[in-house]
Amino acid sequence: MTKLFYMKLKYYKTGAAILLASISFSTARAQSPAEGQNERAYYVQTLSKIADPVLTAISKNELKKTMPVEAKDPKDVKDREYSTHLEAFGRLLAGMAPWLELGPDQTPEGKLREKYILLALAGIHNATDPKAPDFLNFYQGRQPVVDVAFFAQALLRAPHQLWDRLDEKTKSNVLTALKSSRAIEPSFSNWLLFSATIEAALMRFDNSGDRMRMDYAIKEHLLSWYKGDGAYGDGPNFHWDYYNSFVIQPMLVGVLQTLSDADPKQKKDYDAALAHAKRYAAVQERMISPEGTYPPIGRSLAYRYGAFQTLSMISLMHELPENVKPQQVRAALYSLIKRQTEAPGTFDKNGWLQIGINGHQPGIGESYISTGSLYLCSEAFLVLGLPSSDPFWQGKDEEWTAKKVWNGEAVDIDHAID
């Protein structure tokens, strides 16, 4: 990377504390009519807290050196070291990408975005440079195909800031890294969408995406694994967990959006997947309790509020159902993000995420969960891709459905879509 690049990076790092203090001050000072702006500032502060250790370390080629590796069973730590750093980087960027794509401007938030864009670009350079200390594993073992897909998802969500601003050598390294993951055969489950997402990015940036891998994932989900009322099976079987939001709905919609942009014949499938995602988002909004909690169902609960990626994505797309107001989603997501973020033990003393759903609960991690896995929580922040002027961030909070119900207020009747 160029000397000028690192000079700019140093400038934005130096100013980061001032920028966050400015955002924090405006939050404390604002009154209730500006609740949306208060909550946006909290979202930005929280995402910054999550992102700082990862992006700062990888920008210096020190991610492998400094990131702790926690696992439920200490004996599993060695088994997760081969993939955990790519998990942290790819998953974090996937959630940050829509916000970064807004680009820099002269506001405190816009300057903060530029800081993280520069850190991310330096990180992408180091992660894909075979000679760099932080060159990440894109193809050895099985787990990397998962997180190459999240990395690809980030590029698709922020093409102007995370792709166009890369130098040509780094672009070449990125394409090589994406293609190298083809060595991994995905499982017959939601994993088909990991391969499909990687191919969608290759189609978008290199015109080399494999249509067969994309079509196979699309057809299995839309034709074979759709269970009705907006929900898919994880493979042939239905699972009561949050994988429809962690992976399935967002990646299916994302792949089809990329395909339909290139081929209008895909629009019908895209519309079907979007309709399912809208219904799933409506269900998710109803699952958030008045206290900002949700049912601890199924595996991978340590991804915390990443469980609400689909609701955040549909809000970002301005595709919420008519009876779901943006202000109620904003308030509901804020409630659960704040509750989980501020639970004691969510972060270690150096600011890295720790395993748990409500604080530090190592026992909630499965054998495949490690420190890097936890950064999927960033997917809840997709709504930050809506600028502060968007109606989503305007006006006072609206009570979300569960809050209305348990306050004894009138609510709309819920119906299945099939």
Side-chain angles (χ1 to χ4, degrees), residues 201-220:
L202 287 169
M203 186 180 78
R204 169 71 172 77
F205 300 115
D206 190 42
N207 199 30
S208 65
D210 183 344
R211 283 294 298 265
M212 184 178 72
R213 293 176 194 239
M214 289 183 272
D215 289 343
Y216 183 38
I218 292 164
K219 288 175 181 175
E220 289 298 339

Side-chain angles (χ1 to χ4, degrees), residues 285-355:
E285 188 273 340
R286 288 173 172 261
M287 292 175 72
I288 301 173
S289 78
E291 299 77 28
T293 62
Y294 53 94
I297 298 169
R299 62 193 182 100
S300 300
L301 292 174
Y303 299 161
R304 294 186 170 90
Y305 34 73
F308 290 84
Q309 178 184 183
T310 299
L311 178 58
S312 193
M313 178 190 75
I314 291 298
S315 300
L316 173 66
M317 297 172 72
H318 291 131
E319 291 287 355
L320 287 171
E322 286 184 16
N323 62 343
V324 180
K325 295 181 181 179
Q327 290 76 18
Q328 70 191 66
V329 174
R330 182 190 77 207
L333 288 176
Y334 169 76
S335 177
L336 67 88
I337 287 171
K338 183 175 174 64
R339 184 181 183 113
Q340 288 183 287
T341 298
E342 297 181 5
T346 298
F347 302 91
D348 72 9
K349 64 181 180 180
N350 294 314
W352 299 92
L353 288 171
Q354 299 192 105
I355 294 173

